[in-house]
Amino acid sequence: MTAFLHRLAVIGLVLTGLLGPAGCSSLPVLTPEMALNKHAPVRLEGARGPLSPQQSKAILTRLENGGKPTGIFEQHLALEQSIMGSGLVVGNKATLLMDGPSTYDAMFAAIAQAKDNIDMDTYIIEDDDMGRRFSDALIAKQKAGVQVNFMYDSVGSIGTPREFFQRLKDAGINVLEYNPVNPLALRKGWDINQRNHRKLLVVDGRVAFVGGINISSVYSSGSSFSRKTKKPPTPGKSEEPWRDTHIRIEGPVAADFQTLFLNDWKQQKGDPLAARNYYPAIAPAGDDIVRAIGSAPDQPYSLIYVTLLSAINSAQSQVYLTNAYFVPDPQMLTALKDAVARGVDVRLLLPGKSDSALVYYTSRSFYEELLEAGVKIYERQQALLHAKTAVIDGVWSTIGSTNLDWRSFTLNQEIDAVVLGSAFGTQMQNMFNQDLKVSDEMTLEKWHKRPIGSRLKEFGARLWARLL
């Protein structure tokens, strides 16, 4: 089932008046009070707790962009620290994963090496070849004595038969359906409009995977530049190759991702989990500074929204955003336009094709305003773009499940990783540039020549913006 049908299912519930409390119904207005401590010295956390000011300063000096005292890197660090939430954790190794094949290979390798526990959370898992591969791998580990805890979203996986999940349960795996559509299966209040859009895998509390990739065979081919061969998809197939991004993180920050999973399990009133070593002692695995961000509708405001908006407002040279579903609110639009006005190179990489025509035309309804302000817009060709990433000033990067739309920021459970440092930022910029090579730039001249049919679709789709 496509993402469009998932969204349509939720919209249908809205229109029929079946929704319970919608949770946070508006986006926060970013104010200085949200960052009262932004001028305080940056303090980092290691595997054994907070680092001293001297240790923190030494790490900042080493990771400063190119060793030059620009202040950009430290400014972004101070920004991260000032926003409430989990801490900035040092000693991690972040590995960029492009598309389904490389991501699935890395996930299967981690699962195969699990010795104590596996926690997995996904929006969509389908009863197809890839879904069955994952279920077989998880069942094998459960039978080998590893405790597997699995959570999936009721709407996201609405097309997956009950028998698929029953097989997992019969093997001893703890399975939890997030906010069941069926009111008879409720464990808490019926918040049907609040969905768990997170994609998370934590193995032994040491390795975490986060990003935009669901469990589905649509990701099996990969996009044009991630395939081992340059051959096009098999003729006659209607499926577009999918372009998506994930991240593997090894190190102390895995504990923060573990906490997000376990807190979700408790919040959903899942059965008590067997006692396991969910929080092992973890030695440093690399030099990356990572922050785990879990956004939820019951928070005062979306943490990833405020974090991203603040980073854009602090940008001094570049803002490169890649997103599958771009339906910005007025504050985000203003931040992007203001960044251009102060000389920042702002580029948006958006889908040239989408699995949701409604979202596609809603996104395009914002193009003229952004193009007139000097924002550069590129549409990804040769694949269906599903990634949700950003790289700012070459030192601030994020990969996760959050789309740039109202639903992600106000109604969904989302999960993202922020990675700080120029080495990983360079990888992100290289990936962005690779995508640009197979993208078409949209200019004002092109935009003004679009057909009348497209203009009408954009106008009609814009009316649905707050529900997407």
Side-chain angles (χ1 to χ4, degrees):
M1 181 175 288
T2 66
F4 170 69
L5 292 179
H6 299 141
R7 287 168 178 262
L8 191 61
V10 175
I11 291 173
L13 291 170
V14 175
L15 296 178
T16 54
L18 293 177
L19 292 175
C24 178
S25 59
S26 61
L27 293 172
V29 176
L30 198 64
T31 65
E33 287 73 22
M34 285 183 173
L36 290 175
N37 298 319
K38 65 180 180 180
H39 299 299
V42 175
R43 292 289 298 273
L44 306 177
E45 296 181 11
R48 299 179 180 177
L51 303 183
S52 69
Q54 293 78 14
Q55 290 172 316
S56 296
K57 184 176 181 180
I59 291 174
L60 298 185
T61 300
R62 187 171 71 248
L63 294 180
E64 177 71 27
N65 188 25
K68 300 176 182 178
T70 61
I72 294 176
F73 184 55
E74 188 162 356
Q75 179 178 348
H76 282 299
L77 277 173
L79 177 79
E80 285 298 306
Q81 178 177 262
S82 69
I83 298 171
M84 295 175 60
S86 56
L88 294 161
V89 183
V90 303
N92 304 286
K93 180 182 179 182
T95 303
L96 187 61
L97 300 169
M98 290 185 284
D99 291 339
S102 62
T103 298
Y104 290 152
D105 287 348
M107 292 172 76
F108 283 127
I111 290 172
Q113 295 169 8
K115 294 178 173 60
D116 186 82
N117 63 87
I118 296 172
D119 291 334
M120 189 168 183
D121 187 359
T122 188
Y123 180 63
I124 297 172
I125 184 165
E126 294 193 313
D127 186 15
D128 56 17
D129 289 344
M130 189 54 64
R132 289 187 285 273
R133 277 191 65 191
F134 268 93
S135 64
D136 289 346
L138 294 175
I139 288 172
K141 296 309 292 188
Q142 181 69 41
K143 290 182 177 179
V146 174
Q147 181 56 57
V148 180
N149 307 311
F150 182 84
M151 181 160 43
Y152 68 96
D153 186 78
S154 183
V155 169
S157 299
I158 199 168
T160 306
R162 301 294 94 185
E163 293 77 14
F164 179 90
F165 300 109
Q166 189 60 50
R167 180 169 174 259
L168 297 175
K169 294 177 183 178
D170 291 343
I173 294 174
N174 293 316
V175 178
L176 182 62
E177 180 182 9
Y178 186 94
N179 278 355
V181 173
N182 179 3
L184 299 179
L186 293 178
R187 296 169 303 275
K188 56 188 291 294
W190 199 33
D191 298 328
I192 191 65
N193 205 22
Q194 294 184 10
R195 304 312 331 158
N196 185 359
H197 194 242
R198 296 177 178 179
K199 294 90 177 169
L200 172 66
L201 171 65
V202 184
V203 177
D204 287 339
R206 299 175 183 275
V207 179
F209 293 81
V210 175
I213 296 179
N214 290 290
I215 308 304
S216 169
S217 290
V218 299
Y219 292 98
S220 296
S221 63
S223 64
S224 57
F225 67 76
S226 71
R227 290 198 203 101
K228 293 182 179 179
T229 64
K230 298 298 182 181
K231 294 180 180 179
T234 303
K237 283 191 175 182
S238 59
E239 299 90 351
E240 291 284 343
W242 282 52
R243 169 73 188 91
D244 213 331
T245 305
H246 231 67
I247 185 173
R248 178 190 187 274
I249 309 168
E250 181 179 1
V253 78
D256 290 338
F257 288 108
Q258 185 82 292
T259 296
L260 288 170
F261 178 90
L262 296 177
N263 285 347
D264 268 1
W265 194 279
K266 292 178 182 177
Q267 185 262 351
Q268 281 287 300
K269 301 186 184 301
D271 293 337
L273 299 179
R276 289 290 176 137
N277 189 18
Y278 291 111
Y279 296 101
I282 305 176
D287 295 325
D288 293 313
I289 297 175
V290 182
R291 182 186 181 204
I293 299 181
S295 300
D298 57 0
Q299 295 170 339
Y301 49 82
S302 166
L303 288 176
I304 188 59
Y305 173 81
V306 173
T307 303
L308 177 59
L309 196 63
S310 298
I312 293 172
N313 287 336
S314 298
Q316 297 184 27
S317 59
Q318 298 169 333
V319 172
Y320 294 167
L321 304 180
T322 301
N323 210 271
Y325 305 116
F326 180 72
V327 187
D329 73 291
Q331 196 172 196
M332 182 66 71
L333 285 171
T334 298
L336 295 172
K337 293 186 292 185
D338 286 352
V340 174
R342 62 178 184 270
V344 176
D345 180 14
V346 179
R347 304 186 181 197
L348 303 179
L349 179 63
L350 305 176
K353 299 178 181 178
S354 177
D355 58 342
S356 171
L358 183 58
V359 176
Y360 175 74
Y361 284 107
T362 305
S363 296
R364 289 183 129 228
S365 71
F366 295 94
Y367 278 18
E368 185 155 0
E369 178 180 357
L370 291 165
L371 290 170
E372 288 179 344
V375 174
K376 299 173 184 176
I377 299 176
Y378 302 84
E379 293 187 333
R380 181 62 157 83
Q381 307 299 315
Q382 302 180 16
L384 197 155
L385 182 68
H386 192 252
K388 307 96 166 51
T389 68
V391 56
I392 296 176
D393 288 348
V395 297
W396 188 100
S397 305
T398 184
I399 297 171
S401 65
T402 304
N403 292 305
L404 297 180
D405 60 10
W406 290 80
R407 170 158 289 280
S408 278
F409 289 138
T410 62
L411 293 171
N412 285 350
Q413 298 266 122
E414 302 285 3
I415 194 163
D416 299 81
V418 170
V419 183
L420 297 159
S422 58
F424 191 80
T426 297
Q427 295 180 54
M428 292 287 289
Q429 288 192 189
N430 289 340
M431 179 179 69
F432 189 88
N433 291 334
Q434 281 184 283
D435 279 313
L436 290 191
K437 292 178 182 178
V438 285
S439 299
D440 291 339
E441 182 175 4
M442 180 61 67
T443 63
L444 268 175
E445 182 181 2
K446 289 181 182 179
W447 184 246
H448 289 153
K449 293 180 180 179
R450 71 195 190 284
I452 185 65
S454 295
R455 297 169 189 249
L456 292 174
K457 291 176 182 177
E458 291 154 16
F459 175 79
R462 184 68 169 262
L463 302 175
W464 295 82
R466 280 179 170 263
L467 296 178
L468 300 177

Coordinates of all heavy atoms in Angstrom, one line a residue, residues 204-262:
D204 N 21.1 -4.7 20.6 CA 21.9 -4.8 21.9 C 22.2 -3.5 22.6 O 23.1 -3.4 23.3 CB 23.2 -5.6 21.6 CG 23.0 -7.1 21.3 OD1 22.0 -7.6 21.7 OD2 23.9 -7.7 20.7
G205 N 21.4 -2.5 22.3 CA 21.6 -1.2 22.9 C 22.9 -0.5 22.4 O 23.3 0.5 23.0
R206 N 23.5 -1.0 21.4 CA 24.8 -0.5 21.0 C 24.8 0.1 19.6 O 25.6 1.0 19.3 CB 25.9 -1.6 21.0 CG 26.1 -2.3 22.3 CD 27.1 -3.5 22.2 NE 27.2 -4.1 23.5 CZ 28.1 -3.7 24.4 NH1 28.9 -2.7 24.2 NH2 28.2 -4.4 25.6
V207 N 23.9 -0.4 18.7 CA 23.9 0.1 17.3 C 22.4 0.5 17.0 O 21.5 -0.3 17.3 CB 24.3 -1.0 16.3 CG1 24.2 -0.6 14.9 CG2 25.7 -1.5 16.6
A208 N 22.3 1.6 16.4 CA 20.9 2.1 16.0 C 20.9 2.5 14.6 O 21.8 3.0 14.0 CB 20.6 3.3 16.9
F209 N 19.7 2.2 14.0 CA 19.4 2.6 12.6 C 18.2 3.5 12.6 O 17.2 3.2 13.2 CB 19.1 1.4 11.7 CG 20.3 0.4 11.5 CD1 20.6 -0.5 12.5 CD2 21.0 0.5 10.4 CE1 21.7 -1.4 12.3 CE2 22.1 -0.4 10.2 CZ 22.4 -1.3 11.1
V210 N 18.4 4.6 11.8 CA 17.3 5.6 11.8 C 17.2 6.2 10.3 O 18.3 6.3 9.7 CB 17.5 6.8 12.7 CG1 16.5 7.9 12.6 CG2 17.5 6.3 14.2
G211 N 16.1 6.5 9.9 CA 16.0 7.1 8.5 C 14.6 7.1 8.0 O 13.6 7.1 8.7
G212 N 14.5 7.0 6.6 CA 13.2 7.1 6.0 C 12.7 5.8 5.4 O 11.6 5.7 4.8
I213 N 13.5 4.7 5.6 CA 13.2 3.5 4.9 C 12.3 2.6 5.7 O 12.6 2.2 6.8 CB 14.5 2.7 4.5 CG1 15.3 3.6 3.5 CG2 14.3 1.4 3.9 CD1 16.6 3.0 3.1
N214 N 11.2 2.2 5.1 CA 10.2 1.2 5.7 C 10.7 -0.2 5.3 O 11.7 -0.4 4.6 CB 8.8 1.5 5.2 CG 8.2 2.8 5.8 OD1 7.9 2.8 6.9 ND2 8.0 3.8 4.9
I215 N 9.9 -1.2 5.7 CA 10.2 -2.6 5.3 C 9.3 -3.0 4.2 O 8.2 -3.3 4.4 CB 10.1 -3.5 6.6 CG1 10.9 -2.9 7.7 CG2 10.5 -4.9 6.2 CD1 12.3 -2.7 7.5
S216 N 9.8 -2.9 3.0 CA 9.0 -3.2 1.8 C 9.9 -3.5 0.6 O 11.0 -2.9 0.5 CB 8.1 -2.0 1.5 OG 7.5 -2.1 0.2
S217 N 9.5 -4.3 -0.3 CA 10.3 -4.7 -1.4 C 10.4 -3.6 -2.5 O 11.2 -3.7 -3.4 CB 9.7 -5.9 -2.1 OG 9.8 -7.1 -1.3
V218 N 9.6 -2.5 -2.3 CA 9.8 -1.4 -3.2 C 11.2 -0.8 -3.2 O 11.6 -0.1 -4.1 CB 8.7 -0.3 -3.0 CG1 7.3 -0.8 -3.1 CG2 8.9 0.4 -1.6
Y219 N 11.9 -1.0 -2.0 CA 13.2 -0.5 -1.9 C 14.3 -1.4 -2.4 O 15.5 -1.0 -2.4 CB 13.5 -0.2 -0.4 CG 12.7 0.9 0.2 CD1 11.6 0.6 1.0 CD2 13.1 2.2 0.1 CE1 10.8 1.6 1.6 CE2 12.4 3.2 0.7 CZ 11.2 2.9 1.4 OH 10.5 3.9 2.0
S220 N 13.9 -2.5 -2.9 CA 14.9 -3.6 -3.2 C 15.9 -3.2 -4.4 O 17.0 -3.6 -4.4 CB 14.2 -4.9 -3.5 OG 13.5 -5.4 -2.4
S221 N 15.4 -2.4 -5.3 CA 16.2 -2.1 -6.5 C 17.2 -1.0 -6.2 O 18.3 -1.0 -6.8 CB 15.3 -1.8 -7.7 OG 14.6 -0.6 -7.4
G222 N 16.9 -0.1 -5.4 CA 17.7 1.1 -5.2 C 17.5 2.1 -6.3 O 16.9 1.8 -7.3
S223 N 18.1 3.3 -6.2 CA 18.0 4.3 -7.2 C 19.1 4.2 -8.2 O 20.0 3.4 -8.1 CB 17.9 5.7 -6.6 OG 19.2 6.0 -5.9
S224 N 19.1 5.1 -9.2 CA 20.1 5.0 -10.3 C 21.5 5.0 -9.9 O 22.3 4.2 -10.4 CB 19.8 6.2 -11.3 OG 20.0 7.4 -10.6
F225 N 21.9 5.8 -8.9 CA 23.4 5.9 -8.6 C 23.8 4.9 -7.5 O 25.0 4.8 -7.2 CB 23.8 7.3 -8.3 CG 23.3 7.9 -7.0 CD1 23.8 7.5 -5.8 CD2 22.3 8.9 -7.1 CE1 23.3 8.1 -4.6 CE2 21.8 9.5 -5.9 CZ 22.3 9.1 -4.7
S226 N 22.8 4.3 -6.8 CA 23.2 3.3 -5.8 C 23.1 1.9 -6.3 O 23.6 1.0 -5.6 CB 22.2 3.4 -4.6 OG 20.9 2.9 -4.9
R227 N 22.6 1.6 -7.5 CA 22.6 0.3 -8.0 C 24.0 -0.1 -8.4 O 24.8 0.7 -8.8 CB 21.7 0.2 -9.3 CG 20.3 0.3 -9.0 CD 19.5 -0.2 -10.2 NE 18.1 0.3 -10.2 CZ 17.8 1.3 -11.0 NH1 18.7 1.9 -11.8 NH2 16.6 1.8 -10.9
K228 N 24.3 -1.4 -8.3 CA 25.6 -1.9 -8.7 C 25.8 -1.9 -10.2 O 26.9 -1.8 -10.7 CB 25.8 -3.3 -8.1 CG 25.9 -3.4 -6.6 CD 26.1 -4.8 -6.1 CE 26.2 -4.8 -4.6 NZ 26.4 -6.1 -4.0
T229 N 24.7 -1.9 -10.9 CA 24.7 -1.8 -12.3 C 24.0 -0.6 -12.7 O 23.1 -0.1 -12.0 CB 24.1 -3.0 -13.0 OG1 22.7 -3.1 -12.7 CG2 24.7 -4.3 -12.6
K230 N 24.2 0.0 -13.9 CA 23.6 1.2 -14.3 C 22.4 0.9 -15.2 O 21.8 1.8 -15.9 CB 24.6 2.1 -15.1 CG 25.7 2.5 -14.2 CD 25.3 3.4 -13.0 CE 26.4 3.8 -12.2 NZ 26.0 4.6 -11.1
K231 N 21.9 -0.4 -15.2 CA 20.8 -0.7 -16.1 C 19.5 -0.2 -15.5 O 19.3 -0.1 -14.3 CB 20.7 -2.3 -16.2 CG 21.9 -2.9 -16.9 CD 21.7 -4.4 -16.9 CE 22.9 -5.1 -17.6 NZ 22.7 -6.6 -17.7
P232 N 18.6 0.2 -16.4 CA 17.3 0.7 -15.9 C 16.5 -0.4 -15.3 O 16.8 -1.6 -15.4 CB 16.6 1.3 -17.2 CG 17.3 0.5 -18.3 CD 18.7 0.2 -17.8
P233 N 15.4 -0.1 -14.6 CA 14.5 -1.1 -14.1 C 14.0 -2.1 -15.2 O 14.0 -1.7 -16.3 CB 13.4 -0.3 -13.4 CG 13.9 1.0 -13.2 CD 14.9 1.2 -14.3
T234 N 13.6 -3.3 -14.8 CA 13.1 -4.3 -15.7 C 12.0 -3.7 -16.5 O 11.0 -3.2 -16.0 CB 12.7 -5.5 -15.0 OG1 13.8 -6.0 -14.2 CG2 12.3 -6.6 -16.0
P235 N 12.0 -3.8 -17.9 CA 10.9 -3.3 -18.7 C 9.6 -4.0 -18.3 O 9.6 -5.2 -18.0 CB 11.4 -3.6 -20.1 CG 12.9 -3.7 -20.0 CD 13.1 -4.3 -18.7
G236 N 8.5 -3.2 -18.4 CA 7.2 -3.7 -18.1 C 6.8 -3.6 -16.6 O 5.6 -3.7 -16.3
K237 N 7.8 -3.3 -15.7 CA 7.4 -3.1 -14.3 C 6.9 -1.7 -14.1 O 7.5 -0.7 -14.6 CB 8.6 -3.3 -13.4 CG 9.0 -4.8 -13.2 CD 10.0 -5.0 -12.1 CE 10.2 -6.5 -11.8 NZ 11.2 -6.6 -10.7
S238 N 5.9 -1.5 -13.4 CA 5.3 -0.2 -13.1 C 6.0 0.5 -12.0 O 5.9 1.7 -11.8 CB 3.8 -0.3 -12.8 OG 3.6 -1.2 -11.7
E239 N 6.7 -0.3 -11.1 CA 7.3 0.3 -9.9 C 8.5 1.2 -10.3 O 9.4 0.8 -11.0 CB 7.7 -0.7 -8.9 CG 6.6 -1.6 -8.4 CD 6.4 -2.8 -9.2 OE1 7.0 -2.9 -10.3 OE2 5.6 -3.7 -8.8
E240 N 8.5 2.4 -9.7 CA 9.7 3.3 -9.8 C 10.7 2.8 -8.8 O 10.4 2.4 -7.7 CB 9.3 4.7 -9.6 CG 8.5 5.4 -10.6 CD 9.3 5.7 -11.9 OE1 10.5 5.8 -11.8 OE2 8.7 6.0 -12.9
P241 N 12.0 2.9 -9.1 CA 13.0 2.7 -8.1 C 12.9 3.8 -7.0 O 12.5 4.9 -7.3 CB 14.4 2.8 -8.8 CG 14.1 3.6 -10.0 CD 12.6 3.2 -10.4
W242 N 13.2 3.4 -5.7 CA 13.0 4.4 -4.6 C 14.3 4.9 -4.2 O 15.3 4.1 -4.0 CB 12.3 3.7 -3.5 CG 10.8 3.6 -3.7 CD1 10.2 3.1 -4.8 CD2 9.7 4.0 -2.8 NE1 8.8 3.1 -4.6 CE2 8.5 3.7 -3.4 CE3 9.7 4.6 -1.6 CZ2 7.3 4.0 -2.8 CZ3 8.5 4.9 -1.0 CH2 7.3 4.6 -1.6
R243 N 14.4 6.2 -4.0 CA 15.6 6.9 -3.5 C 15.4 7.3 -2.1 O 14.5 8.1 -1.8 CB 15.9 8.1 -4.4 CG 17.0 9.0 -3.8 CD 18.4 8.4 -3.9 NE 19.3 9.3 -3.2 CZ 19.6 9.1 -1.9 NH1 19.1 8.2 -1.2 NH2 20.5 10.0 -1.3
D244 N 16.1 6.7 -1.1 CA 15.9 7.0 0.3 C 17.2 7.0 1.0 O 18.3 6.6 0.5 CB 14.9 6.0 0.9 CG 14.1 6.6 2.0 OD1 14.5 7.6 2.7 OD2 12.9 6.2 2.2
T245 N 17.2 7.5 2.3 CA 18.5 7.6 3.0 C 18.2 7.1 4.5 O 17.2 7.4 5.1 CB 19.0 9.0 3.1 OG1 19.2 9.5 1.7 CG2 20.3 9.1 3.8
H246 N 19.2 6.4 5.0 CA 19.2 5.9 6.4 C 20.6 6.1 7.0 O 21.5 6.6 6.3 CB 18.9 4.4 6.4 CG 17.8 4.0 7.3 ND1 16.5 4.3 7.1 CD2 17.8 3.2 8.4 CE1 15.7 3.8 8.0 NE2 16.5 3.1 8.9
I247 N 20.7 5.9 8.3 CA 22.0 6.0 8.9 C 22.2 4.9 10.0 O 21.2 4.6 10.7 CB 22.1 7.4 9.6 CG1 23.5 7.7 10.2 CG2 21.0 7.6 10.6 CD1 23.7 9.1 10.7
R248 N 23.4 4.4 10.0 CA 23.7 3.4 11.1 C 24.6 4.2 12.1 O 25.6 4.8 11.7 CB 24.5 2.3 10.5 CG 25.0 1.2 11.5 CD 25.9 0.2 10.8 NE 26.3 -0.9 11.7 CZ 27.3 -0.9 12.6 NH1 28.0 0.2 12.7 NH2 27.5 -1.9 13.3
I249 N 24.3 4.1 13.4 CA 25.0 4.8 14.4 C 25.4 3.8 15.5 O 24.6 3.1 16.1 CB 24.2 5.9 15.1 CG1 23.5 6.8 14.0 CG2 25.0 6.7 16.0 CD1 22.5 7.7 14.5
E250 N 26.7 3.7 15.7 CA 27.3 2.9 16.7 C 27.9 3.7 17.8 O 28.7 4.6 17.5 CB 28.3 1.9 16.1 CG 28.9 0.9 17.1 CD 29.9 0.0 16.5 OE1 30.1 0.1 15.2 OE2 30.5 -0.9 17.2
G251 N 27.6 3.5 19.1 CA 28.2 4.2 20.1 C 27.2 4.6 21.2 O 26.1 4.1 21.2
P252 N 27.7 5.5 22.1 CA 26.9 5.8 23.3 C 25.5 6.4 23.1 O 24.6 6.2 23.8 CB 27.8 6.8 24.1 CG 29.1 6.5 23.6 CD 29.0 6.1 22.2
V253 N 25.3 7.1 21.9 CA 24.0 7.7 21.7 C 22.9 6.6 21.4 O 21.7 6.9 21.4 CB 24.1 8.7 20.5 CG1 24.1 7.9 19.1 CG2 22.9 9.7 20.5
A254 N 23.4 5.4 21.1 CA 22.4 4.3 20.9 C 21.5 4.2 22.1 O 20.3 3.8 22.0 CB 23.1 3.0 20.6
A255 N 22.0 4.5 23.3 CA 21.1 4.4 24.5 C 20.0 5.4 24.5 O 18.9 5.1 25.0 CB 22.0 4.7 25.8
D256 N 20.2 6.6 23.9 CA 19.1 7.5 23.7 C 18.0 7.0 22.8 O 16.8 7.2 23.0 CB 19.6 8.9 23.2 CG 20.4 9.6 24.3 OD1 20.3 9.3 25.5 OD2 21.3 10.4 23.9
F257 N 18.4 6.4 21.7 CA 17.4 5.8 20.8 C 16.7 4.6 21.4 O 15.5 4.4 21.2 CB 18.1 5.3 19.5 CG 18.6 6.4 18.6 CD1 19.9 6.7 18.5 CD2 17.6 7.2 17.9 CE1 20.3 7.8 17.6 CE2 18.0 8.2 17.1 CZ 19.4 8.5 16.9
Q258 N 17.4 3.8 22.3 CA 16.8 2.7 23.0 C 15.7 3.3 23.9 O 14.6 2.7 24.0 CB 17.9 2.0 23.8 CG 17.4 0.8 24.5 CD 17.3 -0.4 23.6 OE1 16.5 -0.5 22.7 NE2 18.2 -1.4 23.9
T259 N 16.0 4.4 24.6 CA 15.1 5.0 25.5 C 13.8 5.4 24.8 O 12.7 5.3 25.3 CB 15.7 6.2 26.2 OG1 16.8 5.7 27.1 CG2 14.7 6.9 27.1
L260 N 14.0 6.0 23.6 CA 12.8 6.4 22.8 C 11.9 5.2 22.5 O 10.7 5.3 22.6 CB 13.3 7.1 21.5 CG 13.9 8.5 21.7 CD1 14.5 9.0 20.4 CD2 12.9 9.5 22.2
F261 N 12.5 4.1 22.1 CA 11.7 2.9 21.8 C 11.0 2.4 23.1 O 9.7 2.2 23.1 CB 12.6 1.8 21.3 CG 11.8 0.5 21.0 CD1 11.2 0.3 19.8 CD2 11.6 -0.4 22.0 CE1 10.5 -0.8 19.5 CE2 10.9 -1.6 21.7 CZ 10.3 -1.8 20.5
L262 N 11.7 2.3 24.2 CA 11.1 1.7 25.4 C 10.0 2.7 26.0 O 9.0 2.2 26.5 CB 12.2 1.5 26.4 CG 13.2 0.4 26.0 CD1 14.3 0.3 27.1 CD2 12.6 -0.9 25.8

